[in-house]
Amino acid sequence: MTRPRILIVGGGFAGVECARRLERKLGPGEAQVTLATPFGYQLYLPLLPQVASGVLTPQSVAVSLRRGLRGTRIIPGGCVGVDPVAKVAVLRKITDELVNEPYDHLVLAPGSVTRTFDIPGLTEHAQGMKTLAEAAYLRDHVISQLDLAAATTDERERRSRLQFVVVGGGYAGTETAACLQRITAAAAERYPRLDPRDIKWHIVDIAPKLMPELGDRLGTDAMHVLQRRGIEVSLGVSVAKVEAEQVTLTDGRVLPCRTLVWTAGVAASPLIGTLGAETVKGRLVVTDRMTVPRFDGVFALGDAAAVPDLAKGDGAVCPPTAQHAQRQGKAVADNVLASLRGKPLEPYVHKDLGLVVDLGGRDAVSKPLGVQLTGVPAQAVARGYHLMALRTNVAKVRTLTNWLLNATAGDDYVRTGFQSRRPARLRDFEYTDTYLTPDQVRAHTESLHAQH
């Protein structure tokens, strides 16, 4: 008898947590689990700003899938289409080969991509902060700006190289600006020809508040930390145009700048738009059991799905956070098992445990279980949470060692020099694919059936 086939699309928090739980709970020979993901690691996204600032090495936040998943078959590639009638997913391997992967139960957790807008020059000149490669490149780029600013005799060039703009006042943007500002301020001591007062960091966000999820008090505390460090925060303002050496804001200001970091939100994976299913704000509509209506045996979760937030009620959907994705992964695994065993599926309910924002050094703001903390206590909570969330002991030890080493020995501000001749664009490092339409998916699966 053929074992039921469970296919998981996506190697992020949701997909990996689902696979881990299935490995633990499936009986011997009960089902075959396959994970399709373009990378061989799970990226711990909340610590990415610390990779960009050099506090952590890239390996610290890239948790090996093959170390943590022993019984799951891993296909290196991404899903480009689904035929829900034939129950076949079309995968594009990293070799560009298209293959059919039949399934009995499909778990869609393809995650999200950087959300962009039709702003002149944005995709040509902005840099993202959503992938491991982007974080490593951004560190190189920032240090190279210090190198070039110290070497030039042109005052105009120096000003543009020493001004950095981060668009997005959420957690990613705020932590990125805070962590990178610390390394540029400390690095200035190694550059005798640079005046530290010339290094300027600027956070821009169209929202009226910085990190509104924190609440007024902690949001204000975070703002004071940033302002004390000299980081300028402009709220209610966005970017009108991006050029190679300057950025124009919607309030008319023109900032000399050669570094614009774009962290203004995410959008669901483009795969979702190819399924022909109902969506809300780009995310796949699912039930509170995370099943996709009209698609037999299909579950969806994480950033790509609008999962009802039963803890909040009033029609709310879960925000695209790592905390929800991990817990949804466990809940979907339990529902897949229940479906296999003919048992009722359970709704997903999770009350947010709190928020942590690491601003670097001893600065942080945290809200665990509703308790508002700042400074060293908040930093202890933030780093403790991250250590617990990392899924392997190797990752925990590596991260803790990096923190201790950076706190005692500091940074050497070394850049690797990759892509030194060609500046990276916003989409250069983010994994995207050419997705198939439903008709193309059916044609592909039918052609392979005919061949066999």
Side-chain angles (χ1 to χ4, degrees):
M1 182 178 175
T2 304
R3 290 186 297 166
R5 297 158 299 190
I6 303 169
L7 174 61
I8 303 170
V9 172
F13 288 106
V16 172
E17 202 62 44
C18 180
R20 284 168 55 90
R21 195 170 185 90
L22 285 171
E23 282 193 355
R24 289 196 301 270
K25 290 200 165 188
L26 281 169
E30 188 175 4
Q32 172 188 306
V33 181
T34 300
L35 174 66
T37 175
F39 304 109
Y41 59 82
Q42 176 196 348
L43 177 62
Y44 189 74
L45 202 61
L47 288 177
L48 209 53
Q50 297 193 33
V51 173
S53 65
V55 173
L56 297 178
T57 61
Q59 292 87 347
S60 302
V61 300
V63 182
S64 170
L65 295 181
R66 297 189 185 278
R67 183 186 288 273
L69 298 175
R70 299 300 177 89
T72 299
R73 171 178 166 237
I74 299 175
I75 299 178
C79 181
V80 295
V82 176
D83 184 342
V85 177
K87 287 198 168 185
V88 173
V90 180
L91 308 180
R92 178 176 280 115
K93 293 184 177 180
I94 57 175
T95 57
D96 251 0
E97 176 189 2
L98 286 178
V99 296
N100 278 359
E101 188 64 31
Y103 66 83
D104 296 295
H105 298 275
L106 176 64
V107 177
L108 290 172
S112 57
V113 296
T114 301
R115 180 183 61 183
T116 58
F117 301 97
D118 189 19
I119 298 173
L122 178 65
T123 56
E124 292 82 8
H125 301 295
Q127 296 167 35
M129 251 297 288
K130 198 172 186 304
T131 70
L132 193 60
E134 283 176 323
Y137 177 84
L138 181 59
R139 171 179 167 78
D140 246 30
H141 173 80
V142 168
I143 294 174
S144 72
Q145 298 311 298
L146 299 179
D147 287 345
L148 292 165
T152 188
T153 57
D154 185 325
E155 184 60 31
R156 181 178 176 182
E157 179 186 349
R158 181 181 290 112
R159 285 204 316 273
S160 67
R161 293 197 182 279
L162 294 180
Q163 182 146 219
F164 306 90
V165 176
V166 177
V167 183
Y171 304 123
T174 302
E175 288 187 330
T176 297
C179 290
L180 282 169
Q181 183 274 335
R182 279 181 56 84
I183 72 159
T184 55
E189 299 177 5
R190 311 280 181 91
Y191 293 85
R193 297 190 70 247
L194 292 184
D195 185 340
R197 293 172 296 183
D198 291 338
I199 302 174
K200 301 182 185 300
W201 282 85
H202 201 136
I203 296 176
V204 175
D205 198 307
I206 194 66
K209 293 182 180 180
L210 189 73
M211 298 181 291
E213 299 87 349
L214 285 174
D216 290 341
R217 179 191 153 192
L218 288 183
T220 300
D221 289 340
M223 180 80 83
H224 289 162
V225 169
L226 299 175
Q227 291 173 338
R228 187 174 69 244
R229 292 195 199 164
I231 301 175
E232 185 174 349
V233 181
S234 295
L235 300 175
V237 178
S238 189
V239 174
K241 183 168 63 173
V242 186
E243 297 171 84
E245 298 181 13
Q246 64 182 30
V247 174
T248 303
L249 303 183
T250 52
D251 61 5
R253 281 179 291 168
V254 179
L255 307 177
C257 171
R258 301 196 188 204
T259 306
L260 184 135
V261 185
W262 183 262
T263 65
V266 296
S269 166
L271 171 66
I272 299 307
T274 71
L275 298 177
E278 184 182 355
T279 60
V280 53
K281 295 183 178 180
R283 301 170 74 185
L284 203 58
V285 171
V286 296
T287 67
D288 57 10
R289 271 77 174 168
M290 289 171 285
T291 57
V292 180
R294 300 190 300 109
F295 282 29
D296 180 46
V298 179
F299 298 80
L301 65 162
D303 292 4
V307 179
D309 192 342
L310 299 184
K312 286 187 177 179
D314 295 326
V317 298
C318 298
T321 64
Q323 187 177 143
H324 276 292
Q326 285 182 318
R327 286 160 178 80
Q328 288 168 12
K330 293 178 181 179
V332 162
D334 289 342
N335 280 343
V336 169
L337 287 167
S339 182
L340 281 171
R341 297 165 181 172
K343 297 181 179 179
L345 277 58
E346 296 294 330
Y348 170 73
V349 183
H350 171 66
K351 187 175 181 180
D352 205 311
L353 297 178
L355 306 165
V356 295
V357 181
D358 189 335
L359 299 175
R362 297 181 178 181
D363 295 323
V365 290
S366 299
K367 195 176 181 181
L369 301 174
V371 179
Q372 301 187 49
L373 302 172
T374 60
V376 174
Q379 184 64 278
V381 169
R383 297 202 168 182
Y385 173 82
H386 291 317
L387 282 178
M388 287 191 297
L390 288 166
R391 286 308 186 194
T392 67
N393 289 330
V394 171
K396 296 176 195 287
V397 171
R398 186 177 283 129
T399 298
L400 184 58
T401 302
N402 282 178
W403 280 337
L404 293 173
L405 185 62
N406 185 267
T408 55
D411 198 324
D412 286 327
Y413 314 107
V414 173
R415 55 189 172 90
T416 59
F418 64 88
Q419 283 214 340
S420 58
R421 300 294 182 188
R422 184 175 72 86
R425 298 172 299 175
L426 187 61
R427 295 295 189 193
D428 280 353
F429 291 129
E430 189 164 38
Y431 179 83
T432 54
D433 216 324
T434 302
Y435 295 91
L436 305 182
T437 65
D439 288 341
Q440 289 174 321
V441 172
R442 283 192 293 271
H444 187 267
T445 56
E446 288 169 2
S447 68
L448 288 186
H449 284 314
Q451 291 174 18
H452 293 292

